[in-house]
Every structure is written in structure tokens, then in C-alpha cells.
Amino acid sequence: MEGTNMTLVLQFILLGFSDLPNLQGFLFGIFLLLYLGILLGNGLIIIITKIDPSLQTPMYYFLGNFSFLEICYASVTVPRMLTDLWTHNGNISLWACATQLCLFLILGVTECFLLAVMAYDRYVAICKPLYYFLIMKHHVCVGLVIGSWILGIPVVIGQTYQIFSMPFCGSRKLNHIFCDIYPVLQVACGDTSMNEFSVYADIVLFASIPFILILNSYIRIIITIMKLPSATGRSKAFSTCSSHLIVVSLFFVTATSYKKGIEKIISLFYIFITPLFNPLIYSFRNRDVIVAMKKSINLLQLSK
């Protein structure tokens, strides 16, 4: 392209919070505490759902996998962010940036589908209780989890390859806290309209479809609950769904929000807040999890 400053880009610079030099240490401390909270909270749920016999049900099998996913989701971005804050060096190689983006997108797609699977589990439990364990057999649950993990991989890898195959010119600086699609496209040369179209197509495919499936499940659940004769039964049924609904709302509201100028703030919400609050929501709003935690604490105290 004649007249264009074409350069072979081998690395980018993540600007992160470099515009707040006096707060680097403070932000490092806050983000480290939040990350440790994510690891501890979700790790605790994984352990409890594995060792407590009363939680060996499809619902808690999905919850354990969801907590593992949240740990992976945060670990793709947060350790790198902490390193940048500590070293004051945002340099990231092209391959590292592509890998981070690819893993981040794969985990995001997985979370969408896993939330849809969890909604389907609640639908079967409430709308078809007599057939619940017949439908939600262990091999079916395993298949649903594996499917959630692998469905988006081919498309995401293809999209990542398409983005990083583009030539980059001018600034190597990414005005973001990690390698995301839009900051990378902003420093690409030439027409990026096809890449942007593919991003929107993927959002429709991997976010809208799971959201519609979740919505369909909960419409059927609400219709079934409203038909229950007992107010106590209705309250109990709503209680088993409320935690999942809160988590769904947190994820889709933050993950699908993008506004130039505050994208870093929005990113912090779905990197930290959602993974941190998920175990808290499921713990404090779920009697079975609370009982299992108390039982585990009592066993630890007796073993000393």
C-alpha cells in the first residue's frame, strides 16, 4: 500500500493503567486480593461439590465445572495484568497477544453455553421432576460440559488467525488492559470491516443463541412454577433458580457491554466482579452449599 507506514509488528504495548502512575502499587494490591478471592471462592466450591455426597447431583456437577471455568477465565488475563503493574512494562509479543485473545474468547463462549446448560438443568428439575435423573444421567452431563467447552474452539481459532494475519501499522500501543478484539483492530492497517462483521456474527452465534435458550428455559420454568398450588412450593422453586438468574444477568450485561472510553472499567467487571461474585451468590443463596461448607469446617476442626 503506497504511502502507508507499514511495519512488521512483533510485539504490542498494553497501556493498561499507565495513565495513573501514582496508583500502580495500589491497583496491584487491589487486583491481587480480588484474584486471590476468585481462586479461593471458586476453588472452595469445586472441592465441596467433589467431596460432599449430598452435592453429587447434576446441578452441583455443573456448578463445579462453572467455578473451574471462572478460575480459568480470570487466570487468562489477571496474572499478566498484575505483572504489567508490578514491572511497569506492558510489552507483549504478537504470539502471546494472539494466544491471550484466543483463550479469552474460547472461555467466554464456553461460559455462554455452560450457563445455557445450567438453565436447561433447572428446567428439567422443575418442569420434569419425575424424569430428572433419567434425563440428566452422568454421561449426558459430561457430554453437555464437553460440548460447551469445544463448540466455539474452531470458530474462535479461525477468527483469531484472521485478525492477527492482518498487517499492523503506525502505533503498537493497545489502549486496554489485555489483548481484546477491538483494541487490536484499532491498530490494524487497511479495511477491518470484514473482521468487525465476523465479530458481530460470532456474538449472534455464541451469545444470542445461548441467551435465547436460557430465556426459553426460564419462561417454561416460570409458567410451571405459577401453576404450583402451594406458595411454599413456588417460593422454593424460585429460590433454586434465583442464584443462576443473577449470575446470568451479571455475565451478559457486563460481557456484552462495550463503550469507547470506559472499556477498561467494563472489562474489570467481567474479569473480576463476575468470577468473584459467582461463588458468593451460589454460597449465600444456596442452603445445600452452606450446609456442606459447615460440615466440612466441622470435620476439619474434629481432625485437629
Side-chain angles (χ1 to χ4, degrees):
M1 289 167 47
E2 191 176 350
T4 304
N5 181 23
M6 299 290 291
T7 56
L8 179 62
V9 173
L10 297 178
Q11 68 176 10
F12 295 108
I13 300 172
L14 288 167
L15 295 180
F17 297 98
S18 58
D19 56 334
L20 302 170
N22 297 328
L23 294 178
Q24 300 280 302
F26 173 75
L27 291 174
F28 176 85
I30 293 295
F31 293 160
L32 179 61
L33 288 175
L34 290 174
Y35 183 54
L36 292 175
I38 290 168
L39 296 180
L40 181 63
N42 286 287
L44 188 60
I45 285 183
I46 293 170
I47 293 169
I48 287 175
T49 55
K50 286 290 184 184
I51 66 174
D52 194 285
S54 65
L55 302 183
Q56 303 301 306
T57 63
M59 175 182 174
Y60 296 107
Y61 173 74
F62 294 134
L63 178 56
N65 278 277
F66 187 70
S67 292
F68 173 71
L69 174 66
E70 293 292 59
I71 290 174
C72 295
Y73 198 65
S75 297
V76 166
T77 54
V78 178
R80 171 79 207 192
M81 191 192 313
L82 291 173
T83 302
D84 292 346
L85 285 168
W86 183 259
T87 61
H88 304 284
N89 182 4
N91 289 347
I92 183 169
S93 69
L94 183 73
W95 287 105
C97 189
T99 301
Q100 186 183 61
L101 175 60
C102 186
L103 290 174
F104 181 77
L105 293 177
I106 288 172
L107 292 169
V109 170
T110 301
E111 185 151 354
C112 288
F113 280 107
L114 195 52
L115 286 171
V117 166
M118 294 170 77
Y120 175 71
D121 171 70
R122 292 299 82 208
Y123 157 72
V124 177
I126 293 172
C127 301
K128 300 182 179 181
L130 298 178
Y131 301 98
Y132 180 68
F133 288 103
L134 187 64
I135 296 173
M136 303 303 291
K137 292 180 179 178
H138 183 67
H139 70 273
V140 174
C141 296
V142 172
L144 289 170
V145 169
I146 292 173
S148 298
W149 276 93
I150 67 174
L151 269 174
I153 290 177
V155 175
V156 168
I157 290 176
Q159 185 177 66
T160 305
Y161 176 79
Q162 182 186 32
I163 290 171
F164 283 88
S165 294
M166 297 182 68
F168 296 96
C169 56
S171 177
R172 297 182 293 117
K173 297 178 181 179
L174 305 181
N175 189 23
H176 207 44
I177 54 179
F178 64 93
C179 287
D180 205 353
I181 291 176
Y182 293 107
V184 173
L185 288 179
Q186 285 173 358
V187 297
C189 292
D191 185 14
T192 61
S193 57
M194 286 303 296
N195 298 89
E196 291 174 6
F197 175 79
S198 69
V199 171
Y200 292 124
D202 286 349
I203 290 173
V204 171
L205 183 63
F206 294 129
S208 299
I209 291 177
F211 182 77
I212 290 169
L213 292 174
I214 292 168
L215 193 62
N216 178 61
S217 293
Y218 275 104
I219 288 172
R220 292 170 182 267
I221 287 169
I222 291 169
I223 291 171
T224 301
I225 290 174
M226 296 308 294
K227 291 179 181 178
L228 294 175
S230 167
T232 304
R234 289 196 295 270
S235 176
K236 186 177 179 181
F238 272 123
S239 178
T240 61
C241 299
S242 59
S243 299
H244 183 250
L245 274 173
I246 294 170
V247 170
V248 168
S249 302
L250 271 174
F251 175 75
F252 279 100
V253 168
T254 55
T256 58
S257 300
Y258 183 86
K259 189 173 182 181
K260 194 171 182 180
I262 60 168
E263 61 270 17
K264 294 180 187 179
I265 305 299
I266 294 172
S267 296
L268 290 176
F269 270 89
Y270 60 78
I271 288 173
F272 287 109
I273 304 303
T274 307
L276 182 65
F277 272 74
N278 285 348
L280 294 176
I281 292 167
Y282 278 111
S283 299
F284 291 120
R285 296 186 63 85
N286 192 305
R287 184 177 175 274
D288 293 336
V289 174
I290 293 172
V291 170
M293 284 183 177
K294 288 180 179 178
K295 195 189 300 181
S296 299
I297 292 169
N298 290 335
L299 287 173
L300 286 173
Q301 289 175 341
L302 290 172
S303 64
K304 289 182 179 180

